[in-house]
Amino acid sequence: VETPTPLTIGFLGGTGPQGRGLGLRMAQAGHRVLLGSRDAQRAAAVVEELAEVVGGLAGDVLGVGNEQACADADVVFVVLPYDGQAELLEQVAGHCAGKVVVNCVNALAFDKRGAVPVAVEAGSAAEECAALLPGARVSSAFHDISAVRLQRLEEPVEADVLICGDDDEANQLVVHLAGQIDGMRGVLAGPLRLSATIEAFTAVLIGVNRRYKTHASVRVVGV
Ligand SMILES: NC(=O)c1ccc[n+]([C@@H]2O[C@H](COP(=O)([O-])OP(=O)(O)OC[C@H]3O[C@@H](n4cnc5c(N)ncnc54)[C@H](OP(=O)(O)O)[C@@H]3O)[C@@H](O)[C@H]2O)c1
């Protein structure tokens, strides 16, 4: 996978906190960002709102429909709630073949006690994504990175991103993108089948966040 800068990076479900946070950081790194939504007008309104919040975006950020966010992108980020993933990916699969797809979806459910992993037939949200997108080069990453911290553009995001996937070049591209976020490092964790563990571990981080009222992240020592 070549890493021309700027890349055009599309976000499926990009109007939520995770899409906004990663989108802003990728724009800061000089990429062209397409924040996708089921409603292109809503996406455009979110981008206007973001431009006010950050006082002018460092890069080129556009709000578009989800289909355009895939069709026009070099790299696609999936930042949807798990519940909405299957239906939406089926609609856009034709635009994702051959592309690097970064799945950030956690298969988690929430109740008053916090987050808990949900069983996924495919193994994990990321493996389900790979099964729904034939020919896409799926890498699983950013599951364990707080959207709140991503959106605080003036602060570094001190974190190691655990990345897994079966396509080495796609994984390397994600390491490169993670490294473009101030304070962040990508750590390669193994094949896509490990995504279930990473997604489930996010429930543990959410437990830490609730207990300590913070936005915790992981550092891997010895690497
Ligand atoms: N928030 C975090 O700190 C964080 C951190 C790491 C990973 N994640 C993971 O990243 C993903 C996104 O998180 P988020 O907090 O940004 O989620 P979110 O706000 O719940 O959803 C993101 C966007 O997805 C779209 N959407 C919602 N339901 C949908 C459905 N049924 N079908 C299609 N689109 C739908 C919505 O956009 P439109 O209404 O504009 O279409 C929404 O703005 C989740 O899987 C989460 O586990 C989140």
Side-chain angles (χ1 to χ4, degrees):
V1 176
E2 287 180 27
T3 55
T5 298
L7 289 165
T8 298
I9 305 181
F11 289 79
L12 291 175
T15 55
Q18 194 68 348
R20 293 177 190 214
L22 285 168
L24 290 171
R25 293 286 177 168
M26 289 295 99
Q28 259 191 333
H31 299 294
R32 182 167 174 258
V33 168
L34 305 175
L35 290 187
S37 168
R38 290 167 292 184
D39 174 352
Q41 281 187 338
R42 173 172 146 71
V46 165
V47 169
E48 255 175 57
E49 192 189 311
L50 286 177
E52 270 173 36
V53 171
V54 300
L57 296 165
D60 179 5
V61 182
L62 287 177
V64 299
N66 282 319
E67 199 170 325
Q68 193 186 338
C70 293
D72 293 355
D74 302 308
V75 175
V76 177
F77 277 58
V78 185
V79 282
L80 295 161
Y82 175 66
D83 286 350
Q85 167 169 273
E87 190 183 336
L88 190 75
L89 293 186
E90 276 165 11
Q91 290 166 23
V92 299
H95 298 298
C96 294
K99 293 181 182 173
V100 172
V101 172
V102 184
N103 189 282
C104 313
V105 177
N106 289 313
L108 297 177
F110 294 85
D111 61 21
K112 62 178 193 282
R113 297 173 67 199
V116 66
V118 296
V120 176
E121 210 178 309
S124 61
E127 287 164 287
E128 182 182 284
C129 168
L132 289 166
L133 301 179
R137 312 178 70 178
V138 177
S139 192
S140 174
F142 302 106
H143 298 275
D144 45 0
I145 303 299
S146 153
V148 172
R149 292 176 63 213
L150 285 167
Q151 290 180 84
R152 289 182 189 152
L153 293 188
E154 66 289 356
E155 293 175 20
V157 185
E158 297 289 348
D160 284 345
V161 185
L162 296 171
I163 300 165
C164 67
D166 298 333
D167 183 318
D168 290 340
E169 285 183 358
N171 293 340
Q172 288 296 347
L173 175 62
V174 181
V175 170
H176 173 74
L177 295 177
Q180 290 186 315
I181 297 176
D182 188 18
M184 198 180 284
R185 177 179 71 154
V187 175
L188 296 169
L192 199 63
R193 68 184 184 188
L194 293 181
S195 191
T197 309
I198 295 171
E199 292 169 32
F201 185 72
T202 301
V204 177
L205 280 180
I206 291 168
V208 171
N209 291 343
R210 282 164 63 99
R211 173 62 182 78
Y212 295 97
K213 304 207 181 325
T214 187
H215 304 283
S217 54
V218 170
R219 276 290 188 209
V220 179
V221 297
V223 177

